[in-house]
Amino acid sequence: MKFHLTVCLLLASQAVAFSSSPSFVGNGRASASSKTHLDGAVQDGDTPDTLPDFKDVDDYLQYMSTVSAMPKGFATGTASGTFISTEAPGLGKLPIKGTVIHLTEGPTDNWAAVFTSNRFPGAPVKVGRKRLANGNPLQALVINNKVSNVCSGGDGEADAELVCQSVADALGLDSADSVLPSSTGVIGWKLPAKELAADVVPQAIQNLQSESVLDAAKAIMTTDRFPKVRSRTLSNGARVVGIAKGAGMIEPNMATMLAYILTDATVPKADLQRLLRAAVDESFNAMSVDGDESTSDTAVLVASNQISEDVDMAEFESALFDICKGLAADIVRNGEGTSHVMRVAITNFPGEMKQARYLGRHIVNSPLFKCAVAGNDPNTGRLAGAIGSYMGKFYPEGDVSTMSLTLGGRTIFENGKFVLDGAEDELSAHMKLAEYGDSIDYPPHQKFVEIGVDFGSAGGTTDITVLGSDLTGEYVVVNADYRS
């Protein structure tokens, strides 16, 4: 039973390798700017590939406020309410939050979406698939936390539609079909649709503003430890801004998060769908916190078309990929109980990208290896064991004869043997340097436990980077008492 993640990439008409070295400005902090020009120029108000270090939560939130300016043509509003679960009334009144994203200049046909492949999808996912298949224009999105509206005892789709209708009524839209719903929270509970429709949605719409996405990034959180924002500005002035939520039940297949990427560029629908699928594959599909795929994952890409100047599609693609990869890294870093983020770089894999991605997930999902990382224990045998297990079970024809492994940049395995003499202290120190605490409510740094898996000359040409978290006691604490 988890809060889930839904990715909604909202392009108001107008992401990189997971992380690279930060650019520094005079105060020693990594620049808060990183323009998506292919020449690498930076611009104030944008996030770099690697975020700076932060001393406390106030420092982090102040920084987030400087990179959260809204693109043209969007407004967001949030509100809180309460409900009593019919499934667990003994818990009393529970809090619930609603968020509305409104395309203020009218509906757009330029939107795309990717949904979870879980065979028990939530009712909002079913509604969203219908909206996409029918070619409905989009003018608003509505998101609630706390209850995911998945396989509930009532009519989940009707409940989702009731909330959409309340948005349409309050905004004066022609049809609720132009509203896309998303829900995240406990699986199996009925959505408190009446409370959302009568109380939360009207207040969220009264609170609509066009200045910053930060409040929305906070409102969509569930067990998240901090809000997540990534942003870029294109050379034609169009802005691309993304927010995301997700901390547990993170094992993507198409998408795994609540995320919204807003831009005011003008990009055709077909291009949005193509780029969204590609960006999701290289970001949200290449991470894992706990190996459990959510029932509510949704990725939506929407363009408000407020910047009419031509878009450099290579630049736009780079920005989208940078934002998706940045948000994916943020999601893993704020995972439930996470105290280390593993970054597994797989090179020269002898098979296809999908197989390489699954190998990376197999490594970061190994309970034994995750626990070793949590304890700063360089138990390299567990790493090799996870790789050997995957190759033996799922890709036995793959040649591992020239494979080498690195941890923290140091070679630990080559020519079929470990190379560990004198390595223990160095490897443990690398892990300790990447540690940041399993319950801290801001990201103090952007360091990784760096793992390299190179199949060498006997391998192939497939390269991919996969992110994952360690496994701590705090993860068990969070998930042993999740619903309350």
Side-chain angles (χ1 to χ4, degrees):
M1 307 231 184
K2 298 292 308 174
F3 290 126
H4 324 294
L5 210 63
T6 304
V7 188
C8 301
L9 291 82
L10 307 170
L11 290 113
S13 190
Q14 341 206 68
V16 273
F18 276 118
S19 187
S20 59
S21 300
S23 300
F24 289 93
V25 292
N27 62 4
R29 160 163 286 185
S31 172
S33 314
S34 184
K35 198 167 185 178
T36 35
H37 290 177
L38 299 183
D39 62 7
V42 294
Q43 179 168 313
D44 290 340
D46 292 346
T47 52
D49 298 340
T50 301
L51 297 182
D53 294 348
F54 301 101
K55 62 183 180 181
D56 54 34
V57 65
D58 291 335
D59 189 30
Y60 176 71
L61 292 177
Q62 192 283 328
Y63 173 85
M64 286 288 102
S65 70
T66 68
V67 298
S68 300
M70 197 97 66
K72 297 176 181 178
F74 288 99
T76 66
T78 67
S80 300
T82 61
F83 73 103
I84 295 177
S85 167
T86 59
E87 294 82 5
L91 294 176
K93 287 187 176 181
L94 298 173
I96 191 168
K97 292 183 178 180
T99 301
V100 174
I101 299 174
H102 180 214
L103 282 85
T104 59
E105 304 307 309
T108 179
D109 291 317
N110 293 338
W111 69 282
V114 178
F115 300 99
T116 182
S117 63
N118 193 299
R119 294 299 298 272
F120 293 103
V125 170
K126 296 178 181 179
V127 173
R129 286 173 175 165
K130 292 177 182 177
R131 302 272 200 268
L132 185 64
N134 293 336
N136 296 108
L138 194 65
Q139 194 166 0
L141 295 93
V142 59
I143 309 101
N144 71 271
N145 68 359
K146 198 62 178 180
V147 178
S148 66
N149 194 9
V150 176
C151 300
S152 64
D155 188 338
E157 289 188 55
D159 288 340
E161 292 286 12
L162 176 62
V163 177
C164 290
Q165 187 63 57
S166 71
V167 174
D169 291 345
L171 291 174
L173 307 183
D174 292 338
S175 170
D177 290 343
S178 65
V179 181
L180 188 71
S182 299
S183 297
T184 180
V186 178
I187 295 173
W189 284 8
K190 298 182 184 70
L191 184 73
K194 292 182 180 179
E195 291 89 338
L196 286 168
D199 302 323
V200 178
V201 164
Q203 186 61 50
I205 290 174
Q206 285 186 20
N207 295 337
L208 284 170
Q209 52 82 34
S210 299
E211 299 301 317
S212 172
V213 298
L214 185 55
D215 284 347
K218 295 176 182 177
I220 61 176
M221 292 166 53
T222 50
T223 55
D224 301 65
R225 291 151 66 178
F226 50 84
K228 293 157 284 294
V229 179
R230 294 280 176 153
S231 58
R232 292 296 169 91
T233 304
L234 306 183
S235 57
N236 69 345
R239 187 158 172 76
V240 187
V241 182
I243 62 175
K245 67 81 54 185
M249 210 173 208
I250 305 298
E251 168 72 0
N253 190 357
M254 282 300 181
T256 298
M257 77 205 68
L258 257 179
Y260 305 86
I261 300 178
L262 322 177
T263 181
D264 42 17
T266 302
V267 181
K269 185 180 185 73
D271 289 332
L272 296 183
Q273 189 69 53
R274 172 180 58 83
L275 292 175
L276 175 59
R277 288 189 179 279
V280 165
D281 273 344
E282 291 197 21
S283 57
F284 305 123
N285 279 358
M287 66 173 185
S288 181
V289 169
D290 50 19
D292 286 328
E293 182 190 347
S294 168
T295 55
S296 300
D297 304 339
T298 304
V300 182
L301 185 56
V302 184
S304 69
N305 315 307
Q306 296 305 298
I307 301 296
S308 59
E309 288 83 357
D310 290 343
V311 175
D312 181 328
M313 289 305 296
E315 182 188 17
F316 177 79
E317 180 177 359
S318 176
L320 178 61
F321 276 58
D322 285 357
I323 286 175
C324 289
K325 289 181 178 180
L327 290 174
D330 295 340
I331 287 165
V332 177
R333 195 165 298 279
N334 102 139
E336 292 167 352
T338 297
S339 65
H340 299 76
V341 178
M342 294 178 276
R343 180 161 60 181
V344 180
I346 298 172
T347 54
N348 298 309
F349 185 78
E352 298 178 355
M353 183 66 72
K354 183 177 182 179
Q355 296 165 318
R357 184 183 302 118
Y358 285 171
L359 169 60
R361 291 189 198 170
H362 199 79
I363 294 169
V364 301
N365 285 336
S366 165
L368 286 175
F369 187 57
K370 289 164 78 75
C371 288
V373 172
N376 298 313
D377 177 12
N379 193 328
T380 55
R382 294 180 178 179
L383 171 60
I387 296 169
S389 171
Y390 175 84
M391 296 301 290
K393 291 178 180 178
F394 305 110
Y395 198 56
E397 66 273 26
D399 191 336
V400 298
S401 63
T402 59
M403 187 184 71
S404 64
L405 305 178
T406 60
L407 179 59
R410 174 171 179 149
T411 299
I412 59 172
F413 183 93
E414 62 182 352
N415 299 320
K417 299 179 180 180
F418 283 105
V419 188
L420 296 173
D421 290 351
E424 182 83 10
D425 290 345
E426 179 183 342
L427 298 178
S428 182
H430 171 69
M431 291 177 164
K432 290 179 181 177
L433 190 64
E435 190 173 14
Y436 56 92
D438 59 15
S439 58
I440 193 168
D441 57 356
Y442 69 97
H445 62 70
Q446 299 287 304
K447 297 180 178 68
F448 298 87
V449 175
E450 302 284 5
I451 300 162
V453 183
D454 185 353
F455 283 81
S457 59
T461 59
T462 300
D463 300 342
I464 192 170
T465 299
V466 176
L467 301 183
S469 71
D470 60 0
L471 179 58
T472 67
E474 180 66 15
Y475 178 87
V476 177
V477 170
V478 170
N479 285 281
D481 191 26
Y482 170 77
R483 291 181 298 169
S484 59

